[in-house]
Amino acid sequence: MLAMNYRGPKRVRVDKKPEPTILHPEDAIVRVTRSCICGSDLHLYNGLVPDTRVGSTFGHEFVGVVEEIGSDVTNVKVGDNVLVPFNIACGKCAFCKQGLFGNCHEANSQATAVGGIFGYSHTAGGYDGGQAEYVRVPYANVGPTVIPEGMDPDDAVLLTDVVPTGYQAAEMGGIQKGDTVVIFGAGPIGIMAAKCSWLFGAGRVIVIDHIEYRLEFAKNYAQCEVYNFKSMDDPVLFIKKETDWMGADVCIDAVGAEAAGDVMQTITGRKLLLQAGSATALHWAINGVKKGGIVSIVGVYGPTDNLVPIGNVVNKGITIRANQASVKRLLPKLIKHVQDGLIDPKALITHRVPLEEIADAYHIFSEKLDNCIKPVLIPPSANR
Amino acid sequence: MEHKIKDYTRIKGWGVDADPENDPTYPIKNRTNEEHKGYSWERPPQQVVNMEILKSVERPNVSAVFGTSMPPSGLSGKLRRFAYQWSENTYTRWLTLIFADRVNEYEGIVEDIKSGNIPNIFAEKGWKAEWRLKPERLAIKIGTTAAIVTALLTVMIRKSK
Ligand SMILES: NC(=O)c1ccc[n+]([C@@H]2O[C@H](COP(=O)([O-])OP(=O)(O)OC[C@H]3O[C@@H](n4cnc5c(N)ncnc54)[C@H](O)[C@@H]3O)[C@@H](O)[C@H]2O)c1
Ligand SMILES: [Zn+2]
Ligand SMILES: [Zn+2]
């Protein structure tokens, strides 16, 4: 089969690889019909995630058709059209039982701090991902969900990560009616977090980024205020002025380790790798939230350390909430929101690229070229 | 030495202000005391371990399922094995892994060349798209990168002979 092949920072290609096989009674093999590139993949692509081995296949956002199932699989059958949450979760461990499907303890031998994620380095379990024609899906009784009749597969593929993550970002913000919510990052995740903030009753939603076309997109898609931090002397001072000198009720970091905007953070975090990526957006979130406010982090950082003003977290009495999205927990509610027309996920898709042209797709998404918001890869066997 | 208190519920005032609503985690609300006791769940069947899986020292076992992508090999594999002897709490572990990743990149190039195909780094970096969308920026990049890559490849080819 054809599959993405990581060769080193900023170098990917498509190669022939053996098709995956059933290795566990609860496995399924899925023929991928669509898979996305995510902002999270950029951390791998840029070499920021430890134990990203050359030769592995990325991709944690995919939908497809069940081709084969293991002996204990009862929840899906061959031929089902499924969407597959990006977290690999057993459904049985103490964490899964609490609904923390992003923190399963039976899906990743390599790092206890990290759950199992498709195509996300050995630090997330060493699974090959969905940027391929076929993929092995462990715990098929738990993750894969049959795509409801009539749902567009483009909507379904964004329910594997982007919609739940944006939603959970807002949810963890504990938004109360009338709250001012500031979201850093106008990528798919930040845009979705802005959209979902309204569902929790926000009174004001502000998105900050430095890429003009993305801000424009966010403004139209999420009916929010948008500001370019390149035109600000100091983003935190800007937030203070915008909020009667109080700070925002809730700040959301939807940027993560690739953050721009601060030379010191960029050099130490992204160039020298002295920290686990650049923490500029998180720094701004902590300093821009009001006293007693909430900082919600969905932006992804590496497992070492980051420079953040932790003293201010104490002095201001800030609550920090963060996680990998618990996709399975949120799916029933979010499928309904999509069906009811409250969220229109597929509108985020700007690029459809054949799997074979994956290197170009990564480059375009990474460099934010061609007004790209969200690229989708289509494998040659998608329409079999 | 036994540090555990036998019955903490007898401590004066134990739990008087307990408030299940005041739990900021999501949703961790239906936790029972049993679940404070480590591996209390019925584990899924174990995937057969028939390849080298590096395991965090912060857990007693291999997870019930695991990924089978790229087992450790070569010099980078040696480095990874060393790294995994350290806990996730240490820089030694993570910085060694990052170093191993860099070594692995060069191993990848050698492996490509050995199997008879010189990697098209130009294509792998997505410069076709750059050429279509940002030709002027590409021109500058090519000048600098070509020089570095050529030098590097020459060294690698010599080494691998
Ligand atoms: N927690 C989860 O479950 C989860 C799931 C998916 C993605 N993520 C993470 O969410 C983050 C965003 O993902 P995405 O797909 O939207 O990525 P993306 O790369 O498309 O978007 C990131 C955006 O942040 C902007 N940005 C850079 N520096 C900034 C700064 N200092 N302030 C404000 N904006 C800044 C960039 O210009 C870009 O538009 C990534 O870190 C990704 O790993 C987390
Ligand atoms: Zn993702
Ligand atoms: Zn679990």
Side-chain angles (χ1 to χ4, degrees), chain A residues 86-102:
Chain A
F86 77 85
N87 341 89
I88 298 172
C90 74
K92 290 181 176 159
C93 72
F95 306 104
C96 283
K97 274 200 260 169
Q98 290 159 26
L100 295 167
F101 295 102

Side-chain angles (χ1 to χ4, degrees), chain A residues 14-267:
Chain A
V14 164
D15 275 336
K16 278 225 150 65
K17 281 193 170 191
E19 277 177 27
T21 52
I22 301 273
L23 300 173
H24 184 269
E26 293 168 40
D27 280 359
I29 305 297
V30 169
R31 173 166 57 84
V32 178
T33 53
R34 275 172 184 68
S35 70
C36 298
I37 303 177
C38 174
S40 300
D41 292 325
L42 298 181
H43 312 320
L44 300 171
Y45 182 69
N46 290 323
L48 293 183
V49 181
D51 213 355
T52 304
R53 300 185 192 167
V54 168
S56 44
T57 297
F58 301 167
H60 57 269
E61 305 181 1
F62 58 92
V63 295
V65 181
V66 177
E67 290 278 309
E68 202 185 333
I69 53 174
S71 54
D72 288 354
V73 176
T74 51
N75 203 37
V76 291
K77 54 184 193 311
V78 172
D80 278 350
N81 262 301
V82 290
L83 68 91
V84 182
F86 77 85
N87 341 89
I88 298 172
C90 74
K92 290 181 176 159
C93 72
F95 306 104
C96 283
K97 274 200 260 169
Q98 290 159 26
L100 295 167
F101 295 102
N103 313 95
C104 176
H105 212 64
E106 292 287 7
N108 180 2
S109 295
Q110 277 88 354
T112 56
V114 189
I117 304 176
F118 290 98
Y120 210 74
S121 85
H122 277 71
T123 292
Y127 298 91
D128 275 325
Q131 291 166 6
E133 291 188 284
Y134 296 88
V135 60
R136 169 190 170 221
V137 176
Y139 298 134
N141 287 327
V142 182
T145 302
V146 175
I147 300 174
E149 196 70 39
M151 177 174 278
D152 191 315
D154 285 348
D155 284 332
V157 78
L158 294 175
L159 280 164
T160 63
D161 181 340
V162 172
V163 181
T165 301
Y167 186 89
Q168 189 169 324
E171 185 191 46
M172 291 190 300
I175 298 169
Q176 300 297 310
K177 285 192 176 154
D179 273 359
T180 297
V181 181
V182 171
I183 295 155
F184 295 95
I189 302 298
I191 294 170
M192 193 51 70
K195 183 89 185 165
C196 293
S197 293
W198 297 120
L199 303 180
F200 289 93
R204 204 175 162 196
V205 178
I206 296 171
V207 172
I208 295 176
D209 200 303
H210 64 133
I211 296 175
E212 214 40 63
Y213 81 82
R214 289 192 155 202
L215 289 169
E216 194 59 30
F217 190 100
K219 185 169 83 186
N220 296 327
Y221 182 86
Q223 300 120 300
C224 54
E225 295 168 55
V226 295
Y227 299 98
N228 191 328
F229 68 74
K230 271 202 294 204
S231 62
M232 300 169 186
D233 291 335
D234 179 336
V236 168
L237 198 56
F238 172 83
I239 293 170
K240 290 287 168 69
K241 287 184 182 163
E242 279 293 319
T243 53
D244 269 341
W245 304 99
M246 290 292 111
D249 298 295
V250 177
C251 280
I252 294 175
D253 172 359
V255 180
E258 248 78 42
D262 183 292
V263 176
M264 198 270 288
Q265 286 274 0
T266 301
I267 292 176

